[in-house]
Amino acid sequence: MTLKLRVYPDPILTKVSELVTDFGDELKTFCEQLFVCMKESNGVGLSAVQVGRLEQIIVMHVPGCTPKIIINPEIIEASEETFNYSEGCLSVPGFYDDRDRPFEIKLKYQHLDGSEITDTFHHLEAFCIQHEMDHLEGKLFIDDLSPLKKSRIRKIIDKTIRRNKNGK
Ligand code: QAP
Ligand code: CO
């Protein structure tokens, strides 16, 4: 079974994800598939909702860091200092926009086996986790853009959808 990436404006991307309560073998298999889906799409981070599963699960592999599975995350602390990066999303392919996010976050989350940990992330990993946590709340990075920028993106995407429907 291979997972299918959900793309904007798929309505599932606006839904809030539930806490994971079942830390069994199925969760492990799902996370492995989530990694495969992320790699095939050349992503560094992916949340479960982006493949249609409304549970608080994130996988992340930032170049130079170890791959991570983050379940039921909660930000305990965020730094004043910010980090600016060109933000993109596998569910909004082809679009990027510069944005500031806290440079460092203290995060409480669970591992695959359900054990709890509090850890500090910074730089691109912190940026990625914050982006993915927005997904868990049904938010996309384009929601924070000006209405003008958002409507431009929407127009381009609508055009692409229409073109694909009319048999490419
Ligand atoms: C979130 O995003 C993120 O448009 C993960 O054509 C964002 O992996 C992490 C991607 C910023 C760190 C910094 C996007 C691939 C991947 C595209 C992604 C595309 C192909 C996005
Ligand atoms: Co995303």
Side-chain angles (χ1 to χ4, degrees):
M1 207 273 284
T2 102
L3 302 172
K4 189 169 154 273
L5 194 64
R6 304 295 190 95
V7 172
Y8 176 82
D10 191 320
I12 199 159
L13 294 170
T14 66
K15 302 226 151 74
V16 176
S17 294
E18 315 249 315
L19 285 172
V20 172
T21 52
D22 203 342
F23 292 84
D25 281 350
E26 194 276 334
L27 182 66
K28 184 170 179 237
T29 309
F30 174 75
C31 289
E32 283 163 4
Q33 291 171 335
L34 205 51
F35 266 114
V36 171
C37 184
M38 181 180 79
K39 296 285 173 191
E40 280 176 350
S41 328
N42 297 312
V44 299
L46 188 64
S47 62
V49 57
Q50 291 176 275
V51 298
R53 177 160 164 158
L54 288 167
E55 284 186 276
Q56 297 189 20
I57 304 166
I58 293 167
V59 296
M60 168 172 82
H61 191 185
V62 166
C65 303
T66 54
K68 287 168 184 89
I69 296 170
I70 293 170
I71 297 167
N72 300 338
E74 204 182 310
I75 293 176
I76 311 270
E77 250 177 67
S79 65
E80 290 284 333
E81 190 188 350
T82 57
F83 173 62
N84 185 278
Y85 197 78
S86 172
E87 185 158 10
C89 178
L90 286 171
S91 293
V92 196
F95 295 93
Y96 302 88
D97 207 70
D98 281 2
R99 95 119 71 152
D100 288 322
R101 286 182 180 278
F103 171 78
E104 190 174 89
I105 54 169
K106 193 166 153 190
L107 193 78
K108 190 170 134 189
Y109 65 99
Q110 281 170 282
H111 291 303
L112 252 188
D113 63 2
S115 59
E116 256 188 29
I117 179 169
T118 301
D119 213 348
T120 301
F121 296 89
H122 57 270
H123 210 234
L124 203 51
E125 278 197 317
F127 194 98
C128 181
I129 290 168
Q130 292 170 73
H131 172 99
E132 302 308 334
M133 284 181 73
D134 283 348
H135 278 299
L136 305 184
E137 285 173 14
K139 283 179 60 188
L140 292 175
F141 82 96
I142 53 172
D143 295 344
D144 297 327
L145 300 181
S146 70
L148 182 62
K149 276 187 177 171
K150 195 174 173 178
S151 83
R152 279 190 192 133
I153 292 178
R154 190 59 205 248
K155 267 186 198 148
I156 294 168
I157 290 172
D158 285 351
K159 223 188 237 176
T160 314
I161 293 171
R162 247 180 288 129
R163 201 184 313 124
N164 289 342
K165 266 197 192 133
N166 297 336
K168 38 185 160 164

